[in-house]
Amino acid sequence: MYGLVNRALQQLVCTQHGKQVWDDIRAQAGVVDEVFVRMDSYPDEVTHKLVAAASAVLQMPSDDMLKEFGRYWTRYTMAEGYGALMSDLGPTLHDALSALDDMHARVALLYPKLNPPKFRISDVSPDRISLHYSSSRSGFAPMIIGLVEGLGERYGLRVEVRHAVSKGSDSDHDRFDIRIVGRNSDNAAVDGSTLPA
Ligand code: HEM
């Protein structure tokens, strides 16, 4: 995975817990890199080890760690100068979830070795939408919950995300069922229209 991802994890931990805690996590993970180069590609194993060590040191289940990381990712990418890519996702959460592959295709122009996940939506109604997530990787699915929550926040929406189907013998991908539970100020539907009271 590109260094950008590991840098984000490092920044999340350092901001919330301080550099010493990050150094403990790095030591426990057996990762020697003190800094990650944004545009360098690192083995996925590095990210997996860092998440596992962070979960052990912070005494937080790794699924919760990944959810937290997903939420952080939406803010981090904005702060790192990818705000235009996020804004171009469209005017509604519905549009954004449909445009994730196009967005990663644009990211791939900057990061040529990108191996992005693939997304598809189904079962769309004013307050619900299902997101199908396919990846050549395993273990990152809980991150989607935080990513969708973070994306929802950008649209002023509070969302509930349920990991409805896991990749395994019965399915070649994960499915997340998303429900809009409210808007920060008033009610809004996934397609941006107003929900009935
Ligand atoms: C402008 C915002 C974004 C940028 C710049 C970005 C960029 C990246 C990069 C560089 C990777 C590492 C992939 C690799 O090294 O092969 C990645 C992975 C990933 N991205 Fe994005 N991304 C963005 C937004 C999103 C959003 C909004 C979602 C979903 C809602 C998402 C879902 C994922 C997932 C799940 C992975 C983990 C890899 C996998 O599942 O195979 N990303 N992204």
Side-chain angles (χ1 to χ4, degrees):
M1 204 107 77
Y2 270 109
L4 184 72
V5 175
N6 300 329
R7 278 177 80 96
L9 191 57
Q10 178 173 13
Q11 191 165 311
L12 169 64
V13 172
C14 287
T15 308
Q16 293 188 347
H17 306 280
K19 185 178 178 307
Q20 183 55 54
V21 172
W22 175 253
D23 286 341
D24 293 348
I25 289 168
R26 212 164 47 79
Q28 178 146 339
V31 171
V32 290
D33 310 68
E34 283 190 32
V35 288
F36 295 100
V37 180
R38 224 180 247 104
M39 308 278 299
D40 278 3
S41 213
Y42 296 80
D44 288 352
E45 189 60 11
V46 172
T47 314
H48 283 301
K49 280 185 186 162
L50 288 170
V51 170
S55 146
V57 170
L58 300 173
Q59 298 188 323
M60 185 192 253
S62 61
D63 282 13
D64 290 352
M65 186 72 225
L66 282 163
K67 273 184 224 166
E68 177 85 18
F69 182 51
R71 267 194 297 271
Y72 185 69
W73 184 247
T74 53
R75 294 200 299 274
Y76 178 82
T77 47
M78 293 286 291
E80 286 292 301
Y82 302 102
L85 283 172
M86 291 289 260
S87 306
D88 289 353
L89 281 171
T92 69
L93 179 60
H94 177 158
D95 295 324
L97 295 172
S98 319
L100 292 172
D101 286 2
D102 288 348
M103 183 218 59
H104 275 129
R106 288 175 67 193
V107 174
L109 299 174
L110 305 166
Y111 294 85
K113 288 191 216 146
L114 196 80
N115 173 18
K118 291 220 172 307
F119 294 96
R120 174 172 71 78
I121 59 165
S122 71
D123 304 287
V124 177
S125 74
D127 63 342
R128 287 173 200 264
I129 189 165
S130 292
L131 183 68
H132 301 252
Y133 158 69
S134 308
S135 171
S136 58
R137 304 179 170 97
S138 293
F140 290 103
M143 195 179 154
I144 303 292
I145 296 178
L147 279 162
V148 174
E149 287 172 355
L151 212 48
E153 254 170 47
R154 285 183 44 76
Y155 290 91
L157 298 171
R158 279 184 287 113
V159 295
E160 256 174 29
V161 186
R162 193 169 67 88
H163 192 178
V165 176
S166 294
K167 180 163 84 169
S169 50
D170 292 342
S171 174
D172 63 356
H173 69 278
D174 295 85
R175 193 187 88 214
F176 295 85
D177 292 344
I178 301 161
R179 192 164 75 89
I180 307 296
V181 292
R183 196 182 173 91
N184 286 339
S185 46
D186 53 351
N187 284 342
V190 70
D191 60 2
S193 60
T194 304
L195 282 176

